[in-house]
Amino acid sequence: VGITERIQLEYGNIIFIELPSGDEYEQDEPLGRVEVTDGNTFPIYAPATGEIKEINTTLEEDPDLINHSPEGDGWICRISIESPRELDVLMDADAYIDYEEEELDNEYMDEEDFYDEDEAYDYINLPQKPSATLPASNRFPILLLRYKGSLCH
């Protein structure tokens, strides 16, 4: 379990990671949280019911690792999944790419709207970073889960 590179880029540098403290978690139960430089915190939810098998304690000493390698060495924990059927509600890699294109990219202004031809450099409205929390059905994109070699978000 970890965060995707896209989410790390969207929310900014992570300065603190609360790692899982329990042994078992139910699907949708918060198992940790991350705090970003602007002070906002974001929960990390268990993608499925299971037992924590390994925690990346390196993140306690070096939380910046998650900023440089969120989908690699910056992983948060490994879970032994109790019921693989719970994974059916998660997005696979292709669905997440579609989600990024349709949902996350819509949070920003189109390039045409961003620059007004007559006033291109007089005044620019910078796009705002998304501030709304994802609804329960869509909050899994902040998670990265490898299950039997496939990538699920």
Side-chain angles (χ1 to χ4, degrees):
V1 177
I3 65 167
T4 63
E5 182 177 358
R6 173 67 181 255
I7 293 299
Q8 189 281 321
L9 293 171
E10 292 286 328
Y11 294 118
N13 283 334
I14 294 169
I15 58 171
F16 175 78
I17 303 164
E18 180 182 299
L19 296 171
S21 58
D23 293 333
E24 294 184 9
Y25 290 87
E26 297 291 321
Q27 186 175 38
D28 292 336
E29 182 180 356
L31 55 78
R33 67 182 176 90
V34 294
E35 181 179 341
V36 295
T37 53
D38 66 4
N40 286 321
T41 60
F42 301 95
I44 300 167
Y45 295 94
T49 301
E51 181 181 353
I52 301 289
K53 290 297 187 181
E54 187 177 1
I55 296 173
N56 188 358
T57 55
T58 305
L59 295 174
E60 292 175 322
E61 300 153 16
D62 185 13
D64 198 41
L65 181 60
I66 202 168
N67 295 314
H68 299 291
S69 184
E71 295 182 21
D73 293 337
W75 60 274
I76 295 170
C77 66
R78 299 184 197 284
I79 297 178
S80 175
I81 297 170
E82 191 173 294
S83 176
R85 296 180 84 199
E86 290 180 341
L87 298 176
D88 292 343
V89 300
L90 302 179
M91 291 184 228
D92 63 17
D94 290 335
Y96 184 70
I97 289 169
D98 292 343
Y99 171 80
E100 283 183 342
E101 291 173 358
E102 294 171 15
E103 299 295 326
L104 295 179
D105 287 345
N106 286 338
E107 295 289 335
Y108 294 95
M109 299 170 66
D110 291 335
E111 188 173 347
E112 292 173 10
D113 294 333
F114 187 76
Y115 295 104
D116 182 324
E117 289 181 23
D118 297 329
E119 302 173 341
Y121 298 101
D122 292 337
Y123 178 75
I124 296 175
N125 284 322
L126 295 176
Q128 298 296 310
K129 132 173 116 169
S131 59
T133 304
L134 291 170
S137 63
N138 289 330
R139 62 183 169 201
F140 290 111
I142 67 165
L143 299 174
L144 173 71
L145 173 70
R146 289 194 184 278
Y147 177 68
K148 292 186 178 180
S150 62
L151 187 63
C152 302
H153 297 272

